[in-house]
C-alpha cells in the first residue's frame, strides 16, 4: 500500500468555497454589470502566453519579469536538446563520420518530434530542417570525396543550423493581462473595428511572490482596457469614474484615489519628458549622501529603474524620497495639458482624487496618467487597483502605429476582503425549497415538482434518499432553507401539498395547481 498522505493546495494558492464563493459571484456579476453599462465588452485570453510577450511589454528589469513568472517549456523536447549539445561538440577526433552520423540521428529525432507535435512545424523550423537535410547529403558527398575542408565547413554550417532550430517554446502563466489584450488586439486586427475598443477581462493571474495576507501566487483580477487612436483625457476619466461606481455598488466608502502623470517617453519624432526626469532622478540618487542611505533594492534600482525608488515602501527611505525632485516639475507642455484636463474631467464627474507625485507604478509600459486606489481597511497590502496609460505598447508589440491605450486591473481577492470588512453587502446563496418526501409513492411527485420549481428559478434541494420527517426538517433548517415542501402518504392520498415556512413555522396546505403561484408570491 502506498503511504497515505494528505494533499494540500500549493502555498500561495487557495480554494474558494461556498458560501464565500457567493460573494465572489456577486462581485463579478456586479463588476460585469458596471463595465457593460459603460459599453465595455468581455475579452477572454489564454492563461499562458509566450514568455517574450511579457518580457517585452512589462519590461525585463521589473520584479515581475525577473523573479515572479511561472515559466515552462511548452514542447518538452529535452531529448532533442541532448542531441543538439552533442552536435555542438563537432566530430570525434578519431571518427570522421561521427558528426555525419550524429546529424543523421538528430534529424530522425526531429522527424519524430514533429510527428508528435513536440516542436513547431512552421517557419523558421521547416526551412532549417530542409537545410539540415541538404547539409547531410552534401556531407555524405564530401566525405566520399575526402574533401576535408568542405567537411569542416559543412560541419560548422550544420552546427549553426541545429542551434537555430526552435526546439522549445518558453511560455509563462500570465502575470497580468494587459499584454495579452494588446496581443489579441493586434492578432485580430481589432483596429479595423469601429471606434475605440473597450474591453474587460476577469480571471486568474500568477506571480511567484512571497505569499502573505492579500498577496497570493494565484490571484484574480478584473481589468479593463481602452485601445484606439484617441488619448483624450475623457477616456482616462471615464475609466476611473467607472471604478468609483463599482466601489459605490460594493459600498466600500473608505478608499483613496491617487493620480499622477509620469510624462512621456522618447519617440522617433520627439524627445519625451520622462527620460529627462529619470536622468535627473538617477543623478540625484547617485549622490553619495543619498545613495548610502538607500537599501539594497533601491540601490540596484538607481541604475536599472530609478522611478521605482519613488514607490519604495521601506520606512527608512521615506524621508529621502520626500525630498527627491517630482516629475510634475518637469512635465512637457503636452503632458501637463493632458494632466490638467484629466483633473478637470474628474471634477466634472464628481470623482474626488488626491495627487500623488510618487505614484509611478511598477511596470515599464506606463506613460502620462497613472492611478491607484488604496483602502485603509486592507492593512499592509492596501492597493485595491492600479492602472495607467500605455500609448506606445501596441506598436512596441508589433501592432499598428498610433494606437493608444489605457487600462486598470483590480485585485478581486482584495476587493472581496474590503467588501467583507465594510460589512454592508452580504451575498449568500439560499435554498428556497427543501422537499421532504417520504414513501415510494411520494418520490415521483417530488422529482416532478423539483423540476417545476427549478424551472421557475427557485433553488430546490431534493434529498436523494428518503429521510425521516424530523431529520429532513433539521437538515432543511441547517441549510437555511426558507420553505419545506412536505410530501408524505397523507399528501399523496389527499392530493394536497403541505408547505412549512421555516422563519415562523407556519404550515399550510395547497393544491399542486397553486404551487407555482404560491412560490412566485413568496419571492
Ligand atoms: P498590478 O497588476 O501589479 O498593477 O496589480 C493590480 C492589482 O492587482 C493590485 O492593486 C492588487 O489589488 C492586485 N494584486 C497584484 N498582485 C497581487 C497578488 N500577488 N495577490 C493578490 N492581489 C494582487
Amino acid at each position: 500500500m502506498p503511504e497515505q498522505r494528505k494533499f494540500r493546495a500549493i502555498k500561495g494558492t487557495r480554494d474558494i468555497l461556498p458560501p464565500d464563493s457567493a460573494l465572489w459571484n456577486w462581485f463579478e456579476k456586479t463588476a460585469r454589470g458596471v463595465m457593460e453599462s459603460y459599453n465595455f465588452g468581455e475579452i477572454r485570453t489564454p492563461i499562458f502566453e509566450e514568455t517574450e510577450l511579457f518580457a517585452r511589454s512589462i519590461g525585463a528589469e521589473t520584479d515581475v519579469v525577473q523573479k515572479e513568472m511561472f515559466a515552462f517549456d511548452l514542447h518538452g523536447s529535452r531529448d532533442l536538446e541532448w542531441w543538439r549539445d552533442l552536435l555542438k561538440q563537432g566530430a570525434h577526433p578519431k571518427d570522421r563520420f561521427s558528426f555525419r552520423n550524429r546529424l543523421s540521428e538528430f534529424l530522425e529525432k526531429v522527424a519524430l518530434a514533429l510527428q508528435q507535435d513536440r516542436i513547431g512545424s512552421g517557419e523558421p523550423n521547416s526551412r532549417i530542417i530542409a537545410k539540415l537535410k541538404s547539409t547531410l547529403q552534401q556531407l555524405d558527398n564530401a566525405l566520399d570525396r575526402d574533401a576535408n575542408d568542405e567537411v569542416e565547413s559543412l560541419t560548422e554550417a550544420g552546427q549553426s543550423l541545429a542551434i537555430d532550430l526552435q526546439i522549445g517554446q518558453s511560455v509563462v502563466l500570465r502575470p497580468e493581462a494587459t499584454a495579452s489584450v494588446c496581443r489579441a488586439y493586434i492578432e485580430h486586427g481589432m483596429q479595423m473595428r469601429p471606434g475605440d475598443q473597450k474591453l474587460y477581462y476577469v480571471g486568474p493571474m500568477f506571480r511567484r511572490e512571497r505569499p502573505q495576507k492579500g498577496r497570493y501566487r494565484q490571484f484574480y483580477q478584473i481589468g479593463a482596457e481602452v485601445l484606439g487612436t484617441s488619448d483624450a483625457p475623457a477616456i482616462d476619466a471615464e475609466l476611473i469614474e467607472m471604478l468609483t461606481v463599482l466601489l459605490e455598488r460594493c459600498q466600500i466608502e473608505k478608499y483613496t484615489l491617487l493620480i499622477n502623470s509620469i510624462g512621456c517617453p522618447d519617440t522617433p519624432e520627439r524627445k519625451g519628458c520622462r527620460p529627462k526626469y529619470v536622468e535627473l532622478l538617477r543623478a540625484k540618487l547617485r549622490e553619495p549622501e543619498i545613495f548610502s542611505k538607500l537599501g539594497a533594492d533601491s540601490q540596484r534600482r538607481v541604475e536599472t529603474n530609478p522611478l521605482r525608488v519613488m514607490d519604495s515602501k521601506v520606512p527608512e527611505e521615506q524621508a529621502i524620497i520626500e525630498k527627491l525632485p517630482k516629475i510634475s516639475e518637469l512635465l512637457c507642455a503636452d503632458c501637463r495639458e493632458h494632466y490638467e484636463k484629466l483633473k478637470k474631467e474628474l471634477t466634472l464627474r464628481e470623482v474626488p482624487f488626491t495627487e500623488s507625485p510618487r505614484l509611478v507604478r511598477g511596470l515599464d509600459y506606463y506613460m502620462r496618467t497613472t492611478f491607484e486606489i488604496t483602502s485603509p481597511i486592507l492593512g499592509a497590502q492596501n492597493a485595491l487597483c492600479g492602472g495607467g496609460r500605455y500609448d506606445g505598447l501596441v506598436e512596441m508589440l508589433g501592432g499598428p502605429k498610433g494606437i493608444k491605450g489605457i487600462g486598470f486591473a483590480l485585485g478581486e481577492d482584495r476587493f472581496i476582503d474590503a467588501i467583507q470588512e465594510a460589512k454592508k453587502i452580504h451575498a449568500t446563496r439560499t435554498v428556497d425549497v427543501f422537499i421532504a418526501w417520504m414513501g415510494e409513492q411520494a418520490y415521483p411527485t417530488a422529482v416532478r415538482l423539483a423540476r417545476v420549481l427549478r424551472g421557475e428559478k427557485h433553488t430546490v434541494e431534493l434529498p436523494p434518499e428518503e429521510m425521516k420527517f424530523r431529520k429532513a426538517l433539521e437538515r432543511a433548517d441547517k441549510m437555511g432553507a426558507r420553505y419545506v415542501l412536505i410530501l408524505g402518504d397523507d399528501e399523496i392520498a389527499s392530493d394536497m401539498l403541505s408547505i412549512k415556512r421555516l422563519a415562523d413555522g407556519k404550515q399550510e396546505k395547497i393544491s399542486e395547481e397553486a404551487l407555482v403561484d404560491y412560490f412566485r408570491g413568496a419571492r
Side-chain angles (χ1 to χ4, degrees):
M1 265 269 284
E3 193 195 330
Q4 288 289 318
R5 56 164 290 214
K6 283 195 180 133
F7 293 97
R8 303 183 71 99
I10 288 168
K11 205 165 169 235
T13 73
R14 59 188 181 143
D15 305 304
I16 295 156
L17 312 175
D20 292 351
S21 50
L23 186 58
W24 284 74
N25 285 332
W26 176 87
F27 177 62
E28 284 174 11
K29 203 169 149 196
T30 305
R32 284 172 196 276
V34 170
M35 292 189 290
E36 284 177 14
S37 73
Y38 280 80
N39 194 25
F40 280 71
E42 183 174 5
I43 179 167
R44 296 186 187 212
T45 62
I47 298 286
F48 54 95
E49 299 259 9
E50 266 187 76
T51 307
E52 179 69 14
L53 174 67
F54 298 103
R56 270 224 253 158
S57 58
I58 300 176
E61 281 305 330
T62 54
D63 284 351
V64 172
V65 168
Q66 285 203 336
K67 302 189 270 194
E68 295 172 2
M69 296 209 290
F70 287 100
F72 58 98
D73 192 341
L74 190 59
H75 296 300
S77 20
R78 280 183 201 279
D79 58 331
L80 283 183
E81 272 165 41
W82 188 86
W83 279 98
R84 177 155 72 181
D85 284 346
L86 209 61
L87 285 182
K88 282 191 208 158
Q89 293 169 17
H92 192 279
K94 290 192 185 139
D95 178 4
R96 48 195 291 273
F97 287 92
S98 59
F99 183 81
R100 181 252 163 239
N101 291 341
R102 285 169 184 172
L103 181 57
S104 155
E105 194 107 28
F106 180 67
L107 278 167
E108 271 174 38
K109 305 281 177 212
V110 167
L112 185 67
L114 276 174
Q115 238 177 45
Q116 297 172 338
D117 197 27
R118 285 189 291 122
I119 62 169
S121 57
E123 281 296 340
N125 278 4
S126 55
R127 180 173 39 85
I128 293 170
I129 293 165
K131 278 193 181 166
L132 275 170
K133 282 184 184 158
S134 100
T135 306
L136 180 64
Q137 276 177 358
Q138 292 172 46
L139 252 179
D140 277 340
N141 193 296
L143 283 163
D144 272 354
R145 289 184 282 111
D146 279 335
N148 287 342
D149 285 353
E150 223 174 293
V151 169
E152 209 173 297
S153 72
L154 284 165
T155 300
E156 276 172 26
Q159 283 175 317
S160 73
L161 282 167
I163 290 167
D164 287 344
L165 190 72
Q166 291 189 350
I167 286 180
Q169 188 182 23
S170 173
V171 298
V172 288
L173 298 181
R174 61 182 187 192
E176 55 109 48
T178 300
S180 305
V181 172
C182 291
R183 196 253 323 123
Y185 178 89
I186 299 165
E187 188 172 334
H188 303 287
M190 289 175 83
Q191 74 279 6
M192 306 303 281
R193 299 184 180 202
D196 289 337
Q197 292 306 298
K198 296 161 81 171
L199 304 164
Y200 78 84
Y201 58 84
V202 178
M205 307 293 155
F206 305 84
R207 293 183 198 170
R208 200 190 290 272
E209 294 189 276
R210 196 169 54 77
Q212 62 185 87
K213 182 165 167 32
R215 189 195 271 165
Y216 305 96
R217 290 183 157 182
Q218 172 171 343
F219 59 100
Y220 295 81
Q221 281 189 341
I222 294 181
E225 318 284 350
V226 184
L227 293 159
T229 49
S230 167
D231 64 355
I235 298 175
D236 310 32
E238 188 182 71
L239 197 75
I240 295 173
E241 179 197 305
M242 183 167 89
L243 271 165
T244 60
V245 169
L246 179 59
L247 284 156
E248 211 173 280
R249 296 268 167 95
C250 296
Q251 301 200 41
I252 301 173
E253 281 148 15
K254 291 187 188 147
Y255 70 86
T256 311
L257 164 67
L258 303 168
I259 62 162
N260 191 23
S261 172
I262 57 167
C264 55
D266 287 341
T267 60
E269 294 82 39
R270 63 189 282 271
K271 284 235 162 275
C273 52
R274 189 169 46 163
K276 278 186 221 148
Y277 172 69
V278 171
E279 273 324 303
L280 180 79
L281 197 60
R282 186 176 276 135
K284 196 85 194 152
L285 289 166
R286 276 183 186 153
E287 289 175 9
E289 65 276 20
I290 292 183
F291 191 80
S292 61
K293 291 192 193 115
L294 297 173
D297 273 347
S298 288
Q299 285 189 343
R300 187 169 45 82
R301 287 180 181 141
V302 171
E303 297 312 318
T304 59
N305 195 350
L307 274 184
R308 290 294 311 278
V309 179
M310 292 297 278
D311 70 355
S312 152
K313 305 275 184 312
V314 178
E316 296 77 38
E317 296 178 351
Q318 302 308 307
I320 308 166
I321 293 168
E322 283 303 320
K323 294 199 198 92
L324 290 171
K326 299 186 173 54
I327 187 154
S328 48
E329 295 153 19
L330 272 106
L331 287 182
C332 64
D334 287 351
C335 287
R336 191 178 302 277
E337 188 190 338
H338 192 273
Y339 187 48
E340 291 307 320
K341 281 192 179 155
L342 167 69
K343 287 190 279 182
K344 271 204 192 109
E345 278 277 353
L346 288 173
T347 308
L348 172 74
R349 292 158 198 261
E350 295 177 36
V351 174
F353 57 85
T354 306
E355 290 182 74
S356 168
R358 292 176 49 175
L359 186 70
V360 293
R361 313 267 316 130
L363 315 182
D364 269 6
Y365 53 60
Y366 287 114
M367 60 171 287
R368 284 195 177 156
T369 311
T370 56
F371 56 94
E372 190 166 87
I373 294 176
T374 60
S375 174
I377 53 185
L378 283 179
Q381 300 302 319
N382 67 354
L384 274 173
C385 149
R389 181 161 274 291
Y390 49 82
D391 291 349
L393 184 59
V394 167
E395 189 176 338
M396 197 176 91
L397 292 175
K401 264 186 186 298
I403 297 298
K404 295 166 178 140
I406 182 163
F408 71 78
L410 65 82
E412 248 191 291
D413 306 77
R414 296 190 195 167
F415 251 80
I416 297 289
D417 283 350
I419 294 171
Q420 282 169 338
E421 285 292 326
K423 294 196 177 71
K424 296 265 175 66
I425 307 270
H426 303 279
T428 45
R429 260 178 16 85
T430 47
V431 174
D432 299 319
V433 186
F434 187 102
I435 303 186
W437 60 273
M438 282 139 287
E440 267 177 40
Q441 274 200 312
Y443 185 60
T445 311
V447 170
R448 186 164 46 78
L449 294 183
R451 184 174 306 197
V452 168
L453 292 174
R454 285 168 178 156
E456 287 282 306
K457 304 252 167 49
H458 298 294
T459 303
V460 177
E461 176 65 16
L462 175 68
E465 284 172 305
E466 187 174 357
M467 293 170 96
K468 292 237 157 54
F469 183 58
R470 180 194 285 279
K471 203 144 176 237
L473 267 189
E474 266 173 31
R475 175 79 55 86
D477 197 40
K478 277 200 186 129
M479 278 185 177
R482 296 174 62 214
Y483 291 90
V484 179
L485 177 61
I486 303 160
L487 285 177
D489 292 340
D490 285 355
E491 281 77 16
I492 298 298
S494 65
D495 231 358
M496 290 294 270
L497 310 166
S498 298
I499 296 173
K500 190 178 176 77
R501 189 161 66 189
L502 288 187
D504 55 9
K506 191 175 153 221
Q507 192 162 324
E508 54 192 307
K509 278 194 183 292
I510 61 164
S511 68
E512 198 183 312
E513 292 73 50
L515 184 74
V516 165
D517 280 343
Y518 181 91
F519 281 114
R520 275 187 192 160
R523 241 187 249 279

